[in-house]
Coordinates of all heavy atoms in Angstrom, one line a residue:
M610 N 13.0 14.5 -43.3 CA 14.2 15.1 -43.9 C 14.4 14.5 -45.3 O 14.3 13.3 -45.5 CB 15.4 14.7 -43.1 CG 16.7 15.3 -43.6 SD 18.1 14.8 -42.6 CE 18.1 13.0 -42.8
S611 N 14.7 15.3 -46.3 CA 14.8 14.9 -47.7 C 15.8 13.8 -47.9 O 15.5 12.9 -48.8 CB 15.1 16.1 -48.6 OG 14.2 17.2 -48.5
M612 N 16.9 13.8 -47.2 CA 17.9 12.8 -47.4 C 17.5 11.4 -46.8 O 18.2 10.4 -47.1 CB 19.2 13.3 -46.8 CG 19.8 14.5 -47.5 SD 21.4 14.9 -46.8 CE 21.8 16.4 -47.6
M613 N 16.5 11.4 -46.0 CA 16.2 10.2 -45.2 C 16.0 9.0 -46.1 O 16.6 7.9 -45.9 CB 15.0 10.4 -44.3 CG 14.8 9.4 -43.2 SD 16.2 9.5 -42.0 CE 15.8 8.1 -41.0
P614 N 15.1 9.0 -47.1 CA 14.8 7.8 -47.9 C 16.1 7.3 -48.6 O 16.4 6.1 -48.5 CB 13.8 8.3 -48.9 CG 13.1 9.4 -48.3 CD 14.2 10.1 -47.5
I615 N 16.8 8.1 -49.3 CA 18.0 7.6 -50.0 C 19.1 7.3 -49.0 O 19.9 6.3 -49.3 CB 18.5 8.7 -51.0 CG1 19.2 8.0 -52.2 CG2 19.3 9.8 -50.4 CD1 19.4 8.9 -53.4
F616 N 19.2 7.9 -47.9 CA 20.2 7.6 -46.9 C 19.9 6.2 -46.3 O 20.8 5.4 -46.1 CB 20.2 8.7 -45.8 CG 21.2 8.5 -44.8 CD1 22.5 8.9 -45.0 CD2 20.9 7.9 -43.5 CE1 23.5 8.8 -44.0 CE2 21.9 7.8 -42.6 CZ 23.2 8.2 -42.8
M617 N 18.6 6.0 -46.0 CA 18.3 4.7 -45.4 C 18.5 3.6 -46.4 O 18.9 2.5 -46.1 CB 16.8 4.7 -45.0 CG 16.6 5.5 -43.7 SD 14.8 5.4 -43.2 CE 14.6 3.6 -43.0
V618 N 18.2 3.8 -47.7 CA 18.4 2.8 -48.7 C 19.8 2.4 -48.8 O 20.2 1.2 -48.8 CB 17.9 3.3 -50.1 CG1 18.4 2.4 -51.2 CG2 16.4 3.4 -50.2
G619 N 20.7 3.4 -48.8 CA 22.2 3.1 -48.9 C 22.7 2.4 -47.7 O 23.4 1.3 -47.8
V620 N 22.4 2.9 -46.5 CA 23.0 2.3 -45.3 C 22.3 0.9 -45.0 O 23.0 -0.1 -44.7 CB 22.8 3.3 -44.1 CG1 23.3 2.6 -42.8 CG2 23.6 4.5 -44.4
V621 N 21.0 0.9 -45.0 CA 20.3 -0.3 -44.6 C 20.5 -1.4 -45.6 O 20.6 -2.6 -45.2 CB 18.8 0.0 -44.4 CG1 18.0 -1.3 -44.0 CG2 18.6 1.0 -43.3
F622 N 20.6 -1.1 -46.9 CA 20.8 -2.1 -47.9 C 22.2 -2.8 -47.6 O 22.2 -4.1 -47.6 CB 20.9 -1.5 -49.3 CG 21.1 -2.5 -50.4 CD1 20.0 -3.2 -50.8 CD2 22.4 -2.7 -50.9 CE1 20.2 -4.2 -51.8 CE2 22.6 -3.7 -51.9 CZ 21.5 -4.4 -52.3
G623 N 23.2 -2.1 -47.3 CA 24.5 -2.7 -47.0 C 24.4 -3.6 -45.8 O 24.9 -4.8 -45.9
L624 N 23.8 -3.1 -44.7 CA 23.7 -4.0 -43.5 C 22.8 -5.2 -43.7 O 23.1 -6.3 -43.2 CB 23.3 -3.1 -42.3 CG 24.2 -2.0 -41.9 CD1 23.6 -1.2 -40.8 CD2 25.6 -2.5 -41.5
A625 N 21.7 -5.0 -44.4 CA 20.8 -6.0 -44.7 C 21.4 -7.2 -45.5 O 21.2 -8.4 -45.2 CB 19.5 -5.5 -45.4
M626 N 22.2 -6.8 -46.5 CA 22.9 -7.8 -47.3 C 24.0 -8.5 -46.5 O 24.3 -9.7 -46.8 CB 23.5 -7.2 -48.6 CG 22.4 -6.7 -49.6 SD 21.2 -7.9 -50.1 CE 19.8 -7.5 -49.1
D627 N 24.5 -7.8 -45.5 CA 25.5 -8.5 -44.6 C 24.8 -9.7 -44.0 O 25.3 -10.8 -44.0 CB 25.9 -7.5 -43.5 CG 27.0 -6.7 -43.9 OD1 27.5 -6.8 -45.1 OD2 27.5 -5.8 -43.1
Y628 N 23.6 -9.5 -43.4 CA 22.9 -10.5 -42.7 C 22.4 -11.6 -43.6 O 22.5 -12.8 -43.3 CB 21.7 -9.9 -41.9 CG 22.0 -8.9 -41.0 CD1 21.2 -7.7 -40.8 CD2 23.1 -9.0 -40.2 CE1 21.5 -6.7 -39.9 CE2 23.5 -8.0 -39.3 CZ 22.7 -6.8 -39.2 OH 23.0 -5.8 -38.3
E629 N 22.0 -11.2 -44.8 CA 21.6 -12.2 -45.9 C 22.8 -13.1 -46.2 O 22.6 -14.3 -46.3 CB 21.1 -11.4 -47.1 CG 20.7 -12.3 -48.3 CD 19.4 -13.0 -48.1 OE1 18.6 -12.6 -47.2 OE2 19.1 -14.0 -48.8
V630 N 23.9 -12.5 -46.5 CA 25.1 -13.2 -46.9 C 25.5 -14.2 -45.8 O 25.8 -15.4 -46.1 CB 26.2 -12.3 -47.4 CG1 27.5 -13.1 -47.6 CG2 25.9 -11.6 -48.7
F631 N 25.6 -13.7 -44.6 CA 26.2 -14.6 -43.5 C 25.2 -15.7 -43.2 O 25.6 -16.8 -42.9 CB 26.4 -13.7 -42.3 CG 27.6 -12.8 -42.4 CD1 27.5 -11.5 -42.3 CD2 28.9 -13.3 -42.7 CE1 28.6 -10.6 -42.4 CE2 30.0 -12.5 -42.9 CZ 29.8 -11.2 -42.7
L632 N 23.9 -15.4 -43.2 CA 22.9 -16.5 -42.9 C 22.8 -17.5 -44.0 O 22.8 -18.7 -43.8 CB 21.6 -15.8 -42.5 CG 20.5 -16.7 -41.9 CD1 21.0 -17.2 -40.5 CD2 19.3 -15.9 -41.7

Side-chain angles (χ1 to χ4, degrees):
M610 182 183 65
S611 301
M612 294 184 188
M613 196 66 188
I615 206 162
F616 184 81
M617 283 183 61
V618 166
V620 176
V621 177
F622 181 82
L624 296 178
M626 292 304 104
D627 278 0
Y628 303 140
E629 176 77 14
V630 169
F631 288 122
L632 190 61

